[in-house]
Amino acid sequence: MQNLVHYLRRQKKLLALLILTMLWLSLFPAWVHRVTAKPLDDAITLSPSGTINREIEVAIPEHYEINLVFERASLPFQELKTLLGDWAYRDGQPIPSGVRVPVRWSLKKLHDGSIAASGENDTFGAIAWSAAEVDRKVGGFRVKPGRYLFNAQVLHDVPALAHIGTRLSINLPSKASSTWQMTLVWWGSIASYIVVWPAAAVIAMFLILQAGRNFFSARAART
């Protein structure tokens, strides 16, 4: 036991560094999850026209996007493209395509009910496609962090899209960022994989090997 205590005292700098790396690897992902979590991702009906009223939390003063998210399910691509459209441009302006979905939304401060952001958009086209979903832009906002009341409503029935599962989502942009929080998310994630994880593994392996060597040396000395 004395040998172990002596060994730990001699390796206190490496132990402190190992503790710091483990704290980073446990706390940083939790912080990233909180910062990047979607404030809203709720189902909404298009026919009959649906409404969402939800209290949400805005974690950082970044620009947030509001999108309609359509589920692809097993629908043929060409049918989806006809119904949802694409995002082509002419003379720098998006060309309307697909079945339009008119959406009005607002973001109100909880403490006084004043409007922090709002918009109305006769949405069309699709800005992103994945294997499971198709996104359509509704709007966006940038406000101070805090809790807000978010309201959105489809202004009239859209029966042509009634058979497609639809959600209304508020999320951070996938590429652009303008706050130190998102910069830290990006570079911190890279550092975790390239620097912190390898450093923690090397330090832990070194300490284990040194502890084993000291144990067998002490055992050999006693015999």
Side-chain angles (χ1 to χ4, degrees):
M1 179 60 71
Q2 289 181 347
N3 288 337
L4 177 61
V5 172
H6 180 64
Y7 169 73
L8 292 177
R9 285 176 178 173
R10 286 192 292 113
Q11 302 295 343
K12 60 183 180 181
K13 290 183 179 180
L14 279 179
L15 284 170
L17 185 57
L18 180 61
I19 291 171
L20 287 176
T21 58
M22 297 309 296
L23 283 173
W24 173 273
L25 293 173
S26 58
L27 297 179
F28 179 71
W31 177 79
V32 169
H33 176 74
R34 181 183 181 280
V35 167
T36 60
K38 293 181 179 182
L40 179 78
D41 191 23
D42 279 8
I44 189 168
T45 59
L46 302 183
S47 185
S49 55
T51 300
I52 290 176
N53 281 291
R54 275 282 304 276
E55 183 179 325
I56 66 170
E57 181 178 7
V58 176
I60 58 176
E62 183 61 82
H63 176 79
Y64 285 81
E65 296 177 344
I66 308 172
N67 293 327
L68 286 170
V69 182
F70 303 97
E71 298 175 2
R72 293 187 62 171
S74 58
L75 295 174
F77 171 77
Q78 195 56 48
E79 177 185 351
L80 282 171
K81 187 175 180 181
T82 300
L83 292 172
L84 303 180
D86 53 24
W87 203 243
Y89 283 82
R90 180 183 296 129
D91 299 327
Q93 297 297 321
I95 303 171
S97 61
V99 178
R100 292 175 181 263
V101 180
V103 179
R104 179 186 297 141
W105 63 272
S106 65
L107 194 68
K108 295 181 179 180
K109 300 177 182 178
L110 278 182
H111 67 279
D112 61 5
S114 62
I115 295 179
S118 64
E120 183 175 325
N121 189 3
D122 193 14
T123 70
F124 61 85
I127 59 172
W129 290 73
S130 71
E133 299 173 341
V134 182
D135 291 0
R136 173 180 288 186
K137 184 177 181 180
V138 173
F141 61 83
R142 184 196 297 269
V143 295
K144 293 180 179 180
R147 301 199 68 83
Y148 295 83
L149 181 63
F150 179 80
N151 172 269
Q153 56 185 137
V154 179
L155 298 181
H156 62 69
D157 294 355
V158 187
L161 302 180
H163 63 296
I164 300 178
T166 308
R167 306 192 314 276
L168 192 71
S169 175
I170 300 177
N171 52 273
L172 292 164
S174 57
K175 297 180 181 179
S177 64
S178 61
T179 58
W180 68 264
Q181 291 95 332
M182 291 306 296
T183 301
L184 180 56
V185 167
W186 172 254
W187 289 109
S189 299
I190 294 175
S192 292
Y193 286 104
I194 296 179
V195 178
V196 184
W197 270 112
V202 170
I203 294 171
M205 185 63 66
F206 176 82
L207 290 173
I208 292 171
L209 290 175
Q210 285 295 100
R213 184 178 300 173
N214 286 352
F215 172 78
F216 287 111
S217 296
R219 185 175 180 180
R222 289 196 299 270
T223 58

